[in-house]
Short mmCIF file of all heavy atoms in Angstrom, two decimals:
data_model
loop_
_atom_site.label_atom_id
_atom_site.label_comp_id
_atom_site.label_asym_id
_atom_site.label_seq_id
_atom_site.Cartn_x
_atom_site.Cartn_y
_atom_site.Cartn_z
N GLU A 884 -12.35 6.28 8.68
CA GLU A 884 -13.76 6.23 8.81
C GLU A 884 -14.23 5.09 9.63
O GLU A 884 -15.08 5.03 10.46
CB GLU A 884 -14.34 6.01 7.40
CG GLU A 884 -15.69 6.59 7.22
CD GLU A 884 -15.86 8.07 7.18
OE1 GLU A 884 -15.18 8.65 6.50
OE2 GLU A 884 -16.72 8.52 8.00
N VAL A 885 -13.59 3.86 9.39
CA VAL A 885 -13.86 2.65 10.08
C VAL A 885 -13.51 2.74 11.51
O VAL A 885 -14.21 2.30 12.47
CB VAL A 885 -13.27 1.41 9.40
CG1 VAL A 885 -13.52 0.19 10.20
CG2 VAL A 885 -13.80 1.18 8.03
N LEU A 886 -12.25 3.25 11.71
CA LEU A 886 -11.86 3.41 13.25
C LEU A 886 -12.80 4.35 13.86
O LEU A 886 -13.10 3.95 15.13
CB LEU A 886 -10.37 4.01 13.16
CG LEU A 886 -9.24 3.16 12.70
CD1 LEU A 886 -7.99 3.99 12.52
CD2 LEU A 886 -9.00 1.96 13.67
N GLU A 887 -13.22 5.40 13.34
CA GLU A 887 -14.27 6.27 13.92
C GLU A 887 -15.49 5.57 14.34
O GLU A 887 -16.07 5.68 15.54
CB GLU A 887 -14.61 7.41 13.01
CG GLU A 887 -14.11 8.65 13.45
CD GLU A 887 -14.51 9.80 12.42
OE1 GLU A 887 -14.53 9.48 11.16
OE2 GLU A 887 -14.91 10.97 12.81
N GLN A 888 -15.96 4.82 13.40
CA GLN A 888 -17.35 3.95 13.62
C GLN A 888 -17.00 3.02 14.88
O GLN A 888 -17.97 2.86 15.77
CB GLN A 888 -17.69 3.12 12.51
CG GLN A 888 -18.30 4.00 11.49
CD GLN A 888 -18.23 3.30 10.06
OE1 GLN A 888 -17.90 2.13 10.03
NE2 GLN A 888 -18.50 4.14 8.98
N LEU A 889 -15.92 2.33 14.86
CA LEU A 889 -15.52 1.40 16.04
C LEU A 889 -15.49 2.20 17.39
O LEU A 889 -16.03 1.69 18.25
CB LEU A 889 -14.26 0.75 15.72
CG LEU A 889 -14.17 -0.36 14.53
CD1 LEU A 889 -12.87 -0.76 14.28
CD2 LEU A 889 -15.05 -1.57 14.98
N TRP A 890 -14.97 3.30 17.33
CA TRP A 890 -14.77 4.06 18.44
C TRP A 890 -16.27 4.51 19.01
O TRP A 890 -16.53 4.35 20.22
CB TRP A 890 -14.05 5.45 18.21
CG TRP A 890 -13.70 6.27 19.43
CD1 TRP A 890 -14.57 7.12 19.96
CD2 TRP A 890 -12.63 6.22 20.25
NE1 TRP A 890 -14.05 7.69 21.05
CE2 TRP A 890 -12.75 7.30 21.34
CE3 TRP A 890 -11.38 5.56 20.18
CZ2 TRP A 890 -11.87 7.55 22.27
CZ3 TRP A 890 -10.43 5.99 21.21
CH2 TRP A 890 -10.67 6.84 22.17
N ILE A 891 -17.05 4.94 18.13
CA ILE A 891 -18.29 5.48 18.55
C ILE A 891 -19.18 4.28 18.92
O ILE A 891 -19.94 4.34 20.00
CB ILE A 891 -19.02 6.20 17.35
CG1 ILE A 891 -18.31 7.45 17.10
CG2 ILE A 891 -20.45 6.41 17.66
CD1 ILE A 891 -18.67 8.08 15.70
N ALA A 892 -19.09 3.09 18.20
CA ALA A 892 -19.73 1.84 18.61
C ALA A 892 -19.40 1.47 20.08
O ALA A 892 -20.28 1.12 20.90
CB ALA A 892 -19.49 0.73 17.76
N ARG A 893 -18.10 1.59 20.44
CA ARG A 893 -17.69 1.23 21.65
C ARG A 893 -18.09 2.27 22.77
O ARG A 893 -18.55 1.83 23.84
CB ARG A 893 -16.11 1.20 21.87
CG ARG A 893 -15.46 0.57 22.99
CD ARG A 893 -13.93 0.46 23.00
NE ARG A 893 -13.39 1.83 22.97
CZ ARG A 893 -12.14 1.93 23.10
NH1 ARG A 893 -11.22 1.01 23.05
NH2 ARG A 893 -11.58 3.20 23.11
N GLU A 894 -18.15 3.55 22.45
CA GLU A 894 -18.62 4.54 23.30
C GLU A 894 -20.11 4.33 23.72
O GLU A 894 -20.47 4.36 24.83
CB GLU A 894 -18.49 5.88 22.54
CG GLU A 894 -17.85 7.05 23.28
CD GLU A 894 -17.57 8.10 22.38
OE1 GLU A 894 -18.47 8.44 21.45
OE2 GLU A 894 -16.54 8.77 22.45
N ALA A 895 -20.81 3.99 22.55
CA ALA A 895 -22.35 3.79 22.78
C ALA A 895 -22.64 2.37 23.21
O ALA A 895 -23.78 2.11 23.47
CB ALA A 895 -22.91 4.06 21.46
N ALA A 896 -21.56 1.64 23.36
CA ALA A 896 -21.80 0.10 23.74
C ALA A 896 -22.79 -0.58 22.95
O ALA A 896 -23.74 -1.22 23.33
CB ALA A 896 -22.12 -0.07 25.18
N GLN A 897 -22.76 -0.22 21.64
CA GLN A 897 -23.70 -0.89 20.71
C GLN A 897 -23.10 -1.03 19.31
O GLN A 897 -22.10 -0.44 19.09
CB GLN A 897 -25.09 -0.22 20.70
CG GLN A 897 -24.95 1.19 20.03
CD GLN A 897 -26.13 2.04 20.14
OE1 GLN A 897 -26.70 2.05 21.18
NE2 GLN A 897 -26.48 2.64 19.13
N HIS A 898 -23.74 -1.87 18.43
CA HIS A 898 -23.26 -1.96 17.19
C HIS A 898 -23.87 -0.90 16.29
O HIS A 898 -25.05 -0.70 16.33
CB HIS A 898 -23.68 -3.37 16.59
CG HIS A 898 -23.26 -3.55 15.14
ND1 HIS A 898 -22.00 -3.81 14.77
CD2 HIS A 898 -24.01 -3.53 14.13
CE1 HIS A 898 -21.96 -3.93 13.42
NE2 HIS A 898 -23.19 -3.80 13.04
N ILE A 899 -22.99 -0.16 15.62
CA ILE A 899 -23.56 0.78 14.72
C ILE A 899 -23.28 0.41 13.27
O ILE A 899 -22.29 0.16 12.86
CB ILE A 899 -22.76 2.18 15.02
CG1 ILE A 899 -23.27 2.59 16.37
CG2 ILE A 899 -23.15 3.22 13.94
CD1 ILE A 899 -22.35 3.90 16.89
N GLU A 900 -24.38 0.49 12.50
CA GLU A 900 -24.28 0.08 11.10
C GLU A 900 -23.56 1.22 10.35
O GLU A 900 -23.70 2.41 10.53
CB GLU A 900 -25.72 0.00 10.45
CG GLU A 900 -26.47 -1.24 10.97
CD GLU A 900 -25.82 -2.53 10.38
OE1 GLU A 900 -25.46 -2.52 9.33
OE2 GLU A 900 -25.81 -3.48 11.15
N SER A 901 -22.70 0.83 9.30
CA SER A 901 -21.94 1.72 8.56
C SER A 901 -22.81 2.27 7.43
O SER A 901 -23.42 1.56 6.69
CB SER A 901 -20.72 0.97 7.97
OG SER A 901 -20.28 1.71 6.91
N ALA A 902 -22.94 3.50 7.42
CA ALA A 902 -23.63 4.24 6.38
C ALA A 902 -22.82 4.42 5.12
O ALA A 902 -23.39 4.58 4.03
CB ALA A 902 -24.25 5.55 6.82
N HIS A 903 -21.53 4.51 5.28
CA HIS A 903 -20.49 4.74 4.31
C HIS A 903 -20.28 3.70 3.38
O HIS A 903 -19.89 3.82 2.20
CB HIS A 903 -19.20 5.40 4.78
CG HIS A 903 -19.50 6.67 5.55
ND1 HIS A 903 -19.40 7.74 4.83
CD2 HIS A 903 -19.73 6.95 6.81
CE1 HIS A 903 -19.67 8.77 5.65
NE2 HIS A 903 -19.81 8.16 6.85
N PHE A 904 -20.14 2.44 3.89
CA PHE A 904 -19.67 1.36 3.23
C PHE A 904 -20.71 0.19 3.12
O PHE A 904 -21.52 0.03 3.95
CB PHE A 904 -18.50 0.63 3.81
CG PHE A 904 -17.37 1.79 4.05
CD1 PHE A 904 -16.97 2.18 5.33
CD2 PHE A 904 -16.66 2.31 2.99
CE1 PHE A 904 -16.00 3.08 5.57
CE2 PHE A 904 -15.75 3.36 3.31
CZ PHE A 904 -15.39 3.73 4.43
N THR A 905 -20.68 -0.52 2.01
CA THR A 905 -21.56 -1.67 1.79
C THR A 905 -20.87 -2.84 2.80
O THR A 905 -19.70 -2.64 3.31
CB THR A 905 -21.47 -2.34 0.49
OG1 THR A 905 -20.23 -2.74 0.19
CG2 THR A 905 -22.05 -1.17 -0.59
N GLU A 906 -21.68 -3.84 3.11
CA GLU A 906 -21.20 -4.87 4.08
C GLU A 906 -19.91 -5.40 3.50
O GLU A 906 -18.91 -5.84 4.21
CB GLU A 906 -22.30 -5.89 4.10
CG GLU A 906 -22.10 -7.09 4.99
CD GLU A 906 -21.95 -6.77 6.44
OE1 GLU A 906 -22.73 -5.74 6.86
OE2 GLU A 906 -21.17 -7.39 7.17
N ALA A 907 -19.85 -5.63 2.15
CA ALA A 907 -18.77 -6.36 1.57
C ALA A 907 -17.51 -5.38 1.62
O ALA A 907 -16.36 -5.83 1.88
CB ALA A 907 -19.03 -6.68 0.00
N GLN A 908 -17.63 -4.05 1.37
CA GLN A 908 -16.45 -3.19 1.50
C GLN A 908 -16.01 -3.03 2.85
O GLN A 908 -14.81 -3.05 3.20
CB GLN A 908 -17.04 -1.70 0.99
CG GLN A 908 -17.22 -1.43 -0.38
CD GLN A 908 -17.85 -0.17 -0.70
OE1 GLN A 908 -18.74 0.32 0.10
NE2 GLN A 908 -17.49 0.48 -1.78
N HIS A 909 -17.06 -3.06 3.80
CA HIS A 909 -16.75 -3.01 5.31
C HIS A 909 -15.75 -4.28 5.64
O HIS A 909 -14.69 -3.99 6.26
CB HIS A 909 -18.00 -2.86 6.04
CG HIS A 909 -17.74 -2.55 7.48
ND1 HIS A 909 -17.99 -3.27 8.60
CD2 HIS A 909 -17.14 -1.38 7.93
CE1 HIS A 909 -17.72 -2.67 9.61
NE2 HIS A 909 -17.18 -1.41 9.30
N ARG A 910 -16.15 -5.38 5.18
CA ARG A 910 -15.40 -6.58 5.46
C ARG A 910 -14.01 -6.48 5.01
O ARG A 910 -13.05 -6.82 5.59
CB ARG A 910 -16.15 -7.78 4.99
CG ARG A 910 -16.91 -8.52 5.93
CD ARG A 910 -17.23 -10.00 5.53
NE ARG A 910 -17.49 -10.16 4.23
CZ ARG A 910 -18.72 -10.10 3.68
NH1 ARG A 910 -19.75 -9.91 4.41
NH2 ARG A 910 -18.95 -10.22 2.35
N LYS A 911 -13.90 -6.00 3.67
CA LYS A 911 -12.70 -5.96 3.05
C LYS A 911 -11.82 -4.99 3.72
O LYS A 911 -10.49 -5.17 3.94
CB LYS A 911 -12.88 -5.52 1.52
CG LYS A 911 -11.53 -5.51 0.73
CD LYS A 911 -11.86 -5.27 -0.75
CE LYS A 911 -10.58 -5.04 -1.47
NZ LYS A 911 -10.74 -4.78 -2.95
N LEU A 912 -12.31 -3.86 4.08
CA LEU A 912 -11.52 -2.81 4.82
C LEU A 912 -11.01 -3.32 6.20
O LEU A 912 -9.78 -3.21 6.46
CB LEU A 912 -12.35 -1.45 5.06
CG LEU A 912 -12.53 -0.59 3.96
CD1 LEU A 912 -13.60 0.44 4.23
CD2 LEU A 912 -11.26 0.11 3.65
N LEU A 913 -11.86 -4.04 6.89
CA LEU A 913 -11.52 -4.60 8.10
C LEU A 913 -10.37 -5.56 7.94
O LEU A 913 -9.34 -5.64 8.74
CB LEU A 913 -12.61 -5.32 8.76
CG LEU A 913 -13.63 -4.35 9.55
CD1 LEU A 913 -14.74 -5.16 10.11
CD2 LEU A 913 -13.10 -3.61 10.57
N ALA A 914 -10.37 -6.39 6.84
CA ALA A 914 -9.28 -7.38 6.57
C ALA A 914 -7.90 -6.69 6.33
O ALA A 914 -6.86 -7.05 6.80
CB ALA A 914 -9.70 -8.31 5.39
N GLN A 915 -8.07 -5.57 5.58
CA GLN A 915 -6.85 -4.84 5.29
C GLN A 915 -6.32 -4.09 6.43
O GLN A 915 -5.16 -4.13 6.72
CB GLN A 915 -7.20 -3.73 4.28
CG GLN A 915 -7.37 -4.27 2.90
CD GLN A 915 -7.80 -3.30 1.87
OE1 GLN A 915 -8.69 -2.43 2.25
NE2 GLN A 915 -7.49 -3.27 0.57
N MET A 916 -7.18 -3.66 7.37
CA MET A 916 -6.81 -3.01 8.59
C MET A 916 -6.14 -4.05 9.53
O MET A 916 -5.15 -3.78 10.30
CB MET A 916 -7.92 -2.27 9.29
CG MET A 916 -8.44 -1.07 8.45
SD MET A 916 -9.97 -0.45 8.85
CE MET A 916 -9.61 0.34 10.46
N ALA A 917 -6.65 -5.14 9.51
CA ALA A 917 -6.08 -6.39 10.37
C ALA A 917 -4.56 -6.55 9.77
O ALA A 917 -3.71 -6.82 10.57
CB ALA A 917 -6.91 -7.53 10.24
N ARG A 918 -4.61 -6.64 8.56
CA ARG A 918 -3.26 -6.84 7.85
C ARG A 918 -2.22 -5.78 8.25
O ARG A 918 -1.02 -6.26 8.56
CB ARG A 918 -3.44 -6.86 6.44
CG ARG A 918 -2.18 -7.06 5.59
CD ARG A 918 -2.69 -7.55 4.23
NE ARG A 918 -3.40 -6.56 3.37
CZ ARG A 918 -2.89 -5.61 2.62
NH1 ARG A 918 -1.59 -5.59 2.54
NH2 ARG A 918 -3.65 -4.88 1.94
N ILE A 919 -2.59 -4.60 8.39
CA ILE A 919 -1.49 -3.69 8.80
C ILE A 919 -1.56 -3.18 10.27
O ILE A 919 -1.00 -2.36 10.74
CB ILE A 919 -1.78 -2.32 7.95
CG1 ILE A 919 -3.06 -1.60 8.20
CG2 ILE A 919 -1.45 -2.66 6.44
CD1 ILE A 919 -3.03 -0.16 7.66
N GLY A 920 -2.21 -4.07 11.01
CA GLY A 920 -2.12 -4.04 12.48
C GLY A 920 -2.86 -2.90 13.11
O GLY A 920 -2.52 -2.30 14.12
N LEU A 921 -4.15 -2.46 12.55
CA LEU A 921 -4.97 -1.39 13.16
C LEU A 921 -6.04 -2.23 13.96
O LEU A 921 -6.45 -1.54 15.08
CB LEU A 921 -5.58 -0.51 12.18
CG LEU A 921 -4.66 0.44 11.39
CD1 LEU A 921 -5.51 1.11 10.30
CD2 LEU A 921 -4.00 1.44 12.31
N VAL A 922 -6.48 -3.23 13.61
CA VAL A 922 -7.53 -4.06 14.42
C VAL A 922 -7.23 -5.44 14.50
O VAL A 922 -6.32 -5.99 13.78
CB VAL A 922 -8.83 -3.83 13.76
CG1 VAL A 922 -9.27 -2.35 13.61
CG2 VAL A 922 -8.93 -4.42 12.26
N VAL A 923 -7.87 -6.19 15.49
CA VAL A 923 -7.74 -7.62 15.43
C VAL A 923 -9.09 -8.17 15.22
O VAL A 923 -10.22 -7.64 15.80
CB VAL A 923 -7.22 -8.10 16.87
CG1 VAL A 923 -5.67 -8.01 16.82
CG2 VAL A 923 -7.89 -7.41 18.00
N LEU A 924 -9.25 -9.22 14.52
CA LEU A 924 -10.53 -9.82 14.21
C LEU A 924 -10.62 -11.17 14.84
O LEU A 924 -9.73 -11.96 14.88
CB LEU A 924 -10.71 -10.08 12.60
CG LEU A 924 -10.50 -8.81 11.72
CD1 LEU A 924 -10.63 -9.17 10.26
CD2 LEU A 924 -11.45 -7.71 12.15
N ASP A 925 -11.71 -11.33 15.50
CA ASP A 925 -12.10 -12.59 16.21
C ASP A 925 -13.36 -13.11 15.77
O ASP A 925 -14.28 -12.61 16.52
CB ASP A 925 -11.82 -12.38 17.72
CG ASP A 925 -12.18 -13.57 18.51
OD1 ASP A 925 -12.28 -14.73 17.80
OD2 ASP A 925 -12.38 -13.48 19.73
N GLY A 926 -13.51 -13.82 14.80
CA GLY A 926 -14.96 -14.10 14.26
C GLY A 926 -15.70 -12.86 13.88
O GLY A 926 -15.20 -12.08 13.11
N GLN A 927 -16.77 -12.62 14.41
CA GLN A 927 -17.49 -11.46 14.09
C GLN A 927 -17.04 -10.24 14.84
O GLN A 927 -17.43 -9.12 14.61
CB GLN A 927 -19.02 -11.66 14.40
CG GLN A 927 -19.79 -12.55 13.44
CD GLN A 927 -19.65 -12.18 12.01
OE1 GLN A 927 -20.13 -10.96 11.72
NE2 GLN A 927 -19.21 -12.98 10.99
N ARG A 928 -16.31 -10.44 15.97
CA ARG A 928 -15.82 -9.38 16.75
C ARG A 928 -14.57 -8.71 16.22
O ARG A 928 -13.77 -9.23 15.72
CB ARG A 928 -15.55 -9.99 18.14
CG ARG A 928 -16.80 -10.41 18.92
CD ARG A 928 -16.46 -11.31 19.96
NE ARG A 928 -15.22 -10.76 20.79
CZ ARG A 928 -15.54 -10.23 21.98
NH1 ARG A 928 -16.70 -10.13 22.46
NH2 ARG A 928 -14.49 -9.70 22.69
#
Side-chain angles (χ1 to χ4, degrees):
E884 205 71 56
V885 174
L886 289 171
E887 247 180 322
Q888 287 161 7
L889 287 171
W890 181 281
I891 293 166
R893 192 176 65 174
E894 235 170 31
Q897 67 188 45
H898 177 70
I899 291 174
E900 287 293 324
S901 161
H903 294 271
F904 307 112
T905 64
E906 183 64 34
Q908 283 172 327
H909 195 241
R910 262 204 314 273
K911 185 171 171 184
L912 279 168
L913 283 175
Q915 288 170 324
M916 291 166 72
R918 175 158 66 89
I919 63 164
L921 290 175
V922 296
V923 280
L924 304 178
D925 173 17
Q927 290 296 310
R928 289 158 52 98

